[in-house]
Structure formats: C-alpha cells, structure tokens
C-alpha cells in the first residue's frame, strides 16, 4: 500500500524551474533516501510533499486523500478540512531542529498532540515520556533546548514528530547541522526506526547511512530524478551523472 504518491510534480520559483515532472511513490514500511547535489531540488520536493510549498502542476496523494491535483494546467488544492487530514499523515524533522526555545523538552513533545489533536494531556504526557526514553533523553525532560547539544535537540525533534503518530516521517538533511560525533547518535535513532518498519523519506548527504538504512534510493539532479533503485545504486550506479556525483563525494 502506498502512503504517498506524487505524480508529475512541477515547481518553479520565478523563471527558475526547480522540479520538472517528478513522480514518486512511497510504500508503507519503506525507507526512501533522496540524494543529489545542492540545488538539485531535493528539499523543494520534500517541502512540496509536506505542503510547505505549493506545486505548480501534478498531484499529491496520501493514502486515499488527494491534497493537490492538476486542472486546466494549474494545481488545485483540497479544502482546509482535507488538508488538515493530510497533514496528520506525516511528520517532518528539519535540519535546524525548529524546537520552541521557551518550552521544556517535554512540552515541546506534548504541545501538538494536546493543542492540535485535542488529546488527553495525561495520556500524551505518558507517551511523551516513553518517546523521550526511547531517544535516551528521559533525564532531560525538564531542560530547555538551549541546554542540549545539537544531537539531543535533533532527537527531541524526532520524538516531537513521532508524538503525532504519523504514517510517514520526512527528514530534511537531519545531520547537516551536526558534527560527526553527534551525527552518529541521530543516525542510530533513525536506523532503529527503520528496523521498526517506520515509513521514512530522508534527504541526506550521508551515503553510507543511505546504504545501510534505505530500501529505495532516488538520485536527483537538475530538478529531475536521474536514477532510482535499491541501495546498490550508490556503489554501482548505471547513470554517468550519478557516477560523477558519487565520485566527487569520494574525492
């Protein structure tokens, strides 16, 4: 079963065409890694998938709910109610954490389930404490984000996204703001989620991690999907552009 289907996605910023007729689907339990050079459209694709950017053409569907479709050569979006339901399907973890600085760690994790979903505060607190325990952060529940390392903040951000019980988690370069030691602790958490069959889409520049954790790898360049397949394409790409990109990274 596909959690997400994006068909013929087009997106321009002014005269610059950033996404050129991109189609992809993400099946339940699948981990998809999106790789490619800076400016290839990876983050824009993620922002279109999570409704942070509007598409110019194509369609975006989560399960049986269509968020956007094309009509008369232009994109149309569903009603506010349908978009609310669509947003409940996914969570997004940003590269720079985006935690509320004036909330404690526990309140950061609890806030959306209580105020957006209207859930029982006591129940949410029990789940939030369990999530922080999973992230190795239960001793930091009362701390504020500024008192944590970058790796700890990113793990709070992951706990916060999981607190909404999403069907799919999106990560936009989750380790790009971290030094190597802190990167390892965040990647360990994401790997554990993959082992639990959490559906994830990860934009990453960590090729070894992508090989370890992804079932499906997409290589983007110049606003198009150049090559996609199993994680083996990282070691043995068939397209010259993919080879050039990976050789540059190794160099």
């Amino acid at each position: 079963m596909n959690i997400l289907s994006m068909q013929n996605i087009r997106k321009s910023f002014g005269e610059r065409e950033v996404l050129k007729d991109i189609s992809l689907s993400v099946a339940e339990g699948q981990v998809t890694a999106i790789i490619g050079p800076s400016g290839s459209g990876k983050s824009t694709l993620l922002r279109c998938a999570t409704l942070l950017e509007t598409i110019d053409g194509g369609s975006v569907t989560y399960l049986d709910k269509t968020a956007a479709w094309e009509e008369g050569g232009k994109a149309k979006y569903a009603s506010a109610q349908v978009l609310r339901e669509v947003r409940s399907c996914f969570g997004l973890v940003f590269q720079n954490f985006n935690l509320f600085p004036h909330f404690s760690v526990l309140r950061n994790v609890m806030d959306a389930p209580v105020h957006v979903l209207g859930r029982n505060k006591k129940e949410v607190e029990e789940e939030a404490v369990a999530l922080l325990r999973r992230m190795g952060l239960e001793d930091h529940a009362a701390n504020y984000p500024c008192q944590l390392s970058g790796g700890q903040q990113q793990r709070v951000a992951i706990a916060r996204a999981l607190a909404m019980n999403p069907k799919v988690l999106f990560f936009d370069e989750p380790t790009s703001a971290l030094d190597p030691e802190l990167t390892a602790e965040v990647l360990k958490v994401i790997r554990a989620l993959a082992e639990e069959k959490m559906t994830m889409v990860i934009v990453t520049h960590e090729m070894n991690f992508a090989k370890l954790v992804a079932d499906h790898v997409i290589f983007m360049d110049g606003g198009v999907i150049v090559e996609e397949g199993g994680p083996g394409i990282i070691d043995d790409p068939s397209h010259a552009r993919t080879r050039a990109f990976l050789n540059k990274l190794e160099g």
Side-chain angles (χ1 to χ4, degrees):
M1 179 177 67
N2 283 341
I3 301 284
L4 167 66
S5 175
M6 300 181 79
Q7 298 298 319
N8 309 112
I9 301 296
R10 302 190 312 281
K11 175 67 181 175
S12 296
F13 293 107
E15 295 294 301
R16 193 164 64 93
E17 200 179 6
V18 181
L19 300 177
K20 307 169 185 176
D21 197 28
I22 283 190
S23 296
L24 66 92
S25 57
V26 179
E28 187 175 15
Q30 185 181 58
V31 180
T32 299
I34 303 177
I35 63 172
S38 294
S40 59
K42 306 184 302 293
S43 290
T44 301
L45 181 64
L46 220 64
R47 289 177 67 81
C48 289
T50 55
L51 310 182
L52 292 172
E53 292 283 358
T54 55
I55 58 173
D56 297 331
S59 66
V60 179
T61 303
Y62 282 87
L63 298 169
D64 59 345
K65 294 179 175 64
T66 298
W69 63 94
E70 191 164 337
E71 204 173 284
K74 289 187 175 177
K76 300 265 188 183
Y77 275 80
S79 66
Q81 173 61 32
V82 171
L83 291 180
R84 263 197 303 277
E85 291 168 10
V86 165
R87 284 191 179 93
S88 73
C89 291
F90 60 78
L92 176 58
V93 179
F94 300 88
Q95 54 185 288
N96 52 356
F97 327 132
N98 282 21
L99 298 174
F100 295 116
H102 54 296
F103 284 2
S104 69
V105 163
L106 183 62
R107 191 171 166 198
N108 262 285
V109 177
M110 289 178 60
D111 188 65
V114 171
H115 292 108
V116 177
L117 300 182
R119 292 188 52 211
N120 176 277
K121 196 172 176 181
K122 188 79 188 126
E123 267 178 32
V124 171
E125 184 172 351
E126 285 171 11
E127 288 176 18
V129 168
L131 279 169
L132 290 174
R133 190 178 302 123
R134 254 172 93 185
M135 300 293 141
L137 292 168
E138 59 187 315
D139 295 341
H140 297 281
N143 291 127
Y144 286 85
C146 64
Q147 296 172 297
L148 305 180
S149 71
Q152 289 169 329
Q153 288 186 61
Q154 192 59 297
R155 282 182 282 153
V156 174
I158 294 170
R160 180 179 64 179
L162 289 170
M164 295 293 280
N165 292 314
K167 303 281 186 201
V168 56
L169 260 187
F170 292 92
F171 294 85
D172 187 10
E173 298 275 15
T175 60
S176 66
L178 305 176
D179 64 35
E181 187 184 338
L182 301 178
T183 291
E185 64 188 46
V186 171
L187 296 183
K188 186 178 168 191
V189 167
I190 298 173
R191 200 171 169 191
L193 290 172
E195 284 166 5
E196 293 165 19
K197 292 294 176 201
M198 180 78 207
T199 310
M200 293 184 280
V201 178
I202 307 166
V203 169
T204 184
H205 59 280
E206 300 275 347
M207 293 306 124
N208 286 333
F209 170 67
K211 272 192 294 194
L212 279 172
V213 82
D215 312 300
H216 191 70
V217 176
I218 291 172
F219 171 65
M220 284 181 68
D221 193 10
V224 299
I225 293 174
V226 174
E227 183 171 355
E228 62 183 308
I233 71 166
I234 293 172
D235 285 329
D236 189 20
S238 59
H239 200 287
R241 272 157 82 182
T242 319
R243 277 198 297 277
F245 168 71
L246 293 166
N247 288 341
K248 208 171 177 182
L249 285 184
E250 286 170 10

